[in-house]
Amino acid sequence: MSQSSLPLPVSSADIDAAARVLAPFAVRTPLLSSPVLNERVGTRVFLKPEMLQRTGSFKFRGAFNKLSSIPQSARGGGVVAFSSGNHAQGVAAAAQILNMRATIVMPADAPLSKRERTKSYGAEVVLYDRDREDREAIANDIAGKHGATLVRPYDDPLVIAGQGTAGREIAEDMAALGITPDIVVAPASGGGLVAGVATAVKARFPQAVVMSAEPEAFDDHARSLRAGKREPHQGQGRTICDALMALIPGEITFSINSRLLTKGLTASDAEVGTAVGFAFRELKLVVEPGGSVGLAALLAGHIDISGKNVVIVLSGGNVDADMFAKLIR
């Protein structure tokens, strides 16, 4: 059996099931359209503002779906996760709702606001050196000692299905408007969000073109999609998109994205900064740099959008106040 004929690891039925689990707890974020944005780019654009989601990003969806699946008998050990911020907060909030202990392994250079908010949900935060230590090894060690369940940030079918509920809402809302989405763009780090969104959108609109968006140089999805296999990015140092610095696409996520995504887009830090400022000034939205990379690619003219209906996922709004002030100036 060829790779392309194998069933995908996450189906639209899995996303439907996740939507039922999430319905009492997650925010159904709206689909927004702005005349100012439409005029600026010359076509109809719809924005999915996941910074309005619980914890300020889409990550709550996947985290809650995963934690809800843990049997009662296994919940005593709690959960452990590794994250620079948004997955951390999603897991911590889900654990708080489900009355489970959460330990989050975070880089010492993660924005202070993300660390403090993670603690505010009752989680224990363990800091590590991003350049010298292996966060996954630290998390596995903690899980082994406490009998905790490791909650991966993206490479888990239940997490992907949870993130896919954002795509399911997009498909439902576009259908309700009687509009076919021609292009759908979502940010990518490990690829869980865009994998879930692509699965849900293409189940209802198979002709839709779905693309990942990444910071320039930290473009492992764009590289991997071109190569047809998982390839790491060659980025050095940091990008202002601190949420999008995974080295290589996940194995499970890429098995989906390699079949459902058309291409990967990139935007420079300068273009991302412009998008953050545009969202604030013109749309009255607070979007973190990593959450605005798709909008950045759109505003910078990196997408052929002539005559197309475009959907852009704004994946989160957990931006450090000092960084935000600098970008909107």
Side-chain angles (χ1 to χ4, degrees):
M1 190 182 282
S2 72
Q3 194 68 27
S4 61
S5 61
L6 289 170
L8 290 169
V10 176
S11 67
S12 59
D14 295 327
I15 295 171
D16 292 342
R20 290 191 290 274
V21 169
L22 284 164
F25 301 99
V27 175
R28 185 190 174 100
T29 56
L31 204 56
L32 306 177
S33 190
S34 159
V36 173
L37 178 57
N38 293 347
E39 286 164 21
R40 166 81 178 260
V41 299
T43 197
R44 291 189 79 176
V45 181
F46 299 86
L47 302 172
K48 182 66 168 169
E50 281 294 291
M51 56 286 174
L52 303 181
Q53 185 50 259
R54 208 161 176 158
T55 73
S57 92
F58 73 95
K59 288 286 193 177
F60 176 78
R61 296 174 182 269
F64 193 86
N65 193 48
K66 173 66 177 179
L67 266 63
S68 296
S69 77
I70 299 170
Q72 286 291 343
S73 59
R75 291 188 182 185
V79 293
V80 60
F82 47 86
S83 165
S84 63
N86 286 336
H87 178 61
Q89 292 174 72
V91 171
Q96 187 178 56
I97 292 166
L98 295 167
N99 201 25
M100 297 168 71
R101 188 172 75 234
T103 305
I104 314 293
V105 179
M106 298 185 75
D109 64 353
L112 181 62
S113 58
K114 290 185 177 180
R115 282 186 275 153
E116 292 305 319
R117 289 190 68 83
T118 302
K119 289 180 186 173
S120 77
Y121 295 114
E124 179 189 352
V125 171
V126 174
L127 299 178
Y128 77 99
D129 184 322
R130 199 195 290 255
D131 296 317
R132 294 186 183 84
E133 294 180 286
D134 181 345
R135 64 183 189 170
E136 196 160 348
I138 295 167
N140 276 315
D141 185 52
I142 293 166
K145 282 178 182 163
H146 296 289
T149 301
L150 180 65
V151 183
R152 296 186 176 279
Y154 46 83
D155 231 13
D156 181 305
L158 286 159
V159 171
I160 296 166
Q163 320 304 27
T165 59
R168 184 180 188 267
E169 291 168 14
I170 289 168
E172 287 177 344
D173 290 351
M174 291 295 279
L177 291 168
I179 300 170
T180 298
D182 299 307
I183 297 171
V184 179
V185 181
S189 183
L193 172 64
V194 73
V197 166
T199 301
V201 168
K202 290 182 81 70
R204 191 151 191 172
F205 298 103
Q207 300 311 310
V209 169
V210 184
M211 305 179 192
S212 59
E214 297 168 295
E216 203 172 74
F218 295 82
D219 57 345
D220 42 292
H221 273 79
R223 286 169 177 266
S224 299
L225 290 167
R226 284 196 302 269
K229 65 184 196 308
R230 292 165 69 231
E231 290 205 344
H233 65 67
Q234 304 299 315
Q236 299 293 317
R238 299 281 186 268
T239 164
I240 61 170
C241 304
D242 63 278
L244 305 182
M245 290 174 61
L247 177 63
I248 192 166
E251 287 183 36
I252 299 171
T253 56
F254 193 68
S255 71
I256 298 169
N257 292 333
S258 61
R259 286 164 60 182
L260 299 187
L261 301 194
T262 302
K263 65 183 286 191
L265 303 165
T266 64
S268 69
D269 276 5
E271 289 164 346
V272 168
T274 297
V276 170
F278 179 87
F280 174 70
R281 280 189 293 275
E282 304 296 343
L283 310 177
K284 313 308 173 192
L285 299 174
V286 174
V287 194
E288 67 184 280
S292 65
V293 69
L295 178 63
L298 174 75
L299 292 173
H302 299 328
I303 317 171
D304 179 11
I305 55 168
S306 180
K308 306 277 200 327
N309 298 314
V310 182
V311 181
I312 305 282
V313 180
L314 305 175
S315 57
N318 293 315
V319 57
D320 185 74
D322 291 341
M323 163 75 79
F324 189 67
K326 196 163 75 176
L327 293 175
I328 63 174
R329 284 193 200 111

